[in-house]
Amino acid sequence: SGPLDLAGRRVVISAGGTQEPLDPVRFLGNRSSGRQGVALAEAARDRGADVHLVAANLLVPAPHGVTVTPVGSALELRDAVRAAAAEADVVVMAAAVADFRPQTVPDSKIKKVAGSPPPTITLVENPDILAELAQDRLRADQVVVGFAAETGDAETGVLALGQAKARRKGADLLVVNDVSGGRAFGAADNTVHVLDRNGTVCAEATGTKRDVADAILDAVVPLLVHG
Ligand code: C5P
């Protein structure tokens, strides 16, 4: 067994992917399985932390020995994370949160009407929960950790995009993972770069999602204030 370096610490972790309702039976979603967030919850638990998992539509079982709050949409996730974060030493936003949600959600199913054009769906922006947590600092000395799934593009590599995001979001640590070509999502293994708030790489890890989780927590521990 490893170190109990999170004994007595309260750790909030969001995991999974939000589903933004379109109507009572449909949603806009993403391919996050929740595996990396669940691996973090297990790792933090095994290192002695009191873990609260805010679980958005997980495709894997939630671990034993942690408190679980299930949520569906980004707005629900925000409420649950903020409530739990008020007491937390560490908040890790591992969930894939939808940037946008349908503006209105009808009470009944959207129907196909013969001869009519397809419906137009208007989206509105969701709050950036990570940026809010980093800004508001619900508890003094709280360590806020974000994730960035990047594919890179023709001009800019994954790491450079992550560095810009680290500075923009204001989190203490940003975990950048390369999801180009379908990597990471739903997979057992992962490769990440852990950046500090200036965008400097402070750790890198490849391996199982549990290995990556422990490497991320190794980067969190030195940021915790003693006591
Ligand atoms: O900007 P981007 O979506 O790539 O940032 C990803 C990080 O921000 C993740 O930690 C995710 O949980 C968080 N996020 C959030 N609220 C949003 C969108 C993303 O907290 N609306």
Side-chain angles (χ1 to χ4, degrees), residues 2-7 11 13 35-51 53 63-66 208-218 221:
L4 287 175
D5 54 1
L6 290 172
V11 178
I13 298 168
R35 280 188 179 83
Q36 184 62 71
V38 164
L40 273 158
E42 289 170 342
R45 175 201 63 195
D46 292 348
R47 291 166 78 147
D50 176 351
V51 179
L53 182 67
H64 296 289
V66 311
T208 63
K209 289 188 173 178
R210 175 59 187 258
D211 296 333
V212 166
D214 276 307
I216 293 166
L217 295 177
D218 288 345
V221 166

Side-chain angles (χ1 to χ4, degrees), residues 93 95 97-99 126-130 146-148 165 169:
M93 283 293 298
V97 181
D99 291 323
N126 276 328
D128 188 324
I129 301 159
L130 174 63
F147 271 72
K165 190 165 288 180
K169 295 259 187 183

Side-chain angles (χ1 to χ4, degrees), residues 9-15 50-55 66-71 75-93 129 133 137-140 142-144:
R9 302 293 189 174
R10 295 182 190 190
V11 178
V12 175
I13 298 168
S14 71
D50 176 351
V51 179
H52 190 147
L53 182 67
V54 177
V66 311
T67 303
V68 180
T69 300
V71 297
L75 293 178
E76 290 169 14
L77 187 140
R78 180 192 193 218
D79 287 346
V81 167
R82 288 183 71 89
E87 301 290 324
D89 299 294
V90 182
V91 184
V92 184
M93 283 293 298
I129 301 159
L133 288 167
R137 300 285 159 171
L138 297 175
R139 237 201 69 170
Q142 186 171 74
V143 178
V144 176

Side-chain angles (χ1 to χ4, degrees), residues 8-177:
R9 302 293 189 174
R10 295 182 190 190
V11 178
V12 175
I13 298 168
S14 71
T18 65
Q19 296 182 352
E20 307 303 308
L22 274 163
D23 73 12
V25 297
R26 303 186 181 96
F27 58 83
L28 296 176
N30 62 69
R31 297 189 190 284
S32 177
S33 64
R35 280 188 179 83
Q36 184 62 71
V38 164
L40 273 158
E42 289 170 342
R45 175 201 63 195
D46 292 348
R47 291 166 78 147
D50 176 351
V51 179
H52 190 147
L53 182 67
V54 177
N57 311 296
L58 300 183
L59 301 182
V60 293
H64 296 289
V66 311
T67 303
V68 180
T69 300
V71 297
S73 66
L75 293 178
E76 290 169 14
L77 187 140
R78 180 192 193 218
D79 287 346
V81 167
R82 288 183 71 89
E87 301 290 324
D89 299 294
V90 182
V91 184
V92 184
M93 283 293 298
V97 181
D99 291 323
F100 307 104
R101 68 179 181 277
Q103 183 170 41
T104 53
V105 183
D107 291 333
S108 48
K109 272 179 70 181
I110 297 168
K111 289 183 184 65
K112 189 162 71 175
V113 180
S116 294
T120 298
I121 294 160
T122 303
L123 301 177
V124 293
E125 220 174 300
N126 276 328
D128 188 324
I129 301 159
L130 174 63
E132 283 181 352
L133 288 167
Q135 174 95 58
D136 298 351
R137 300 285 159 171
L138 297 175
R139 237 201 69 170
D141 305 324
Q142 186 171 74
V143 178
V144 176
V145 183
F147 271 72
E150 302 290 357
T151 57
D153 58 35
E155 294 86 45
T156 320
V158 167
L159 204 51
L161 289 173
Q163 283 166 341
K165 190 165 288 180
R167 296 192 190 99
R168 199 165 64 237
K169 295 259 187 183
D172 299 297
L173 296 173
L174 189 76
V175 182
V176 179
N177 62 355

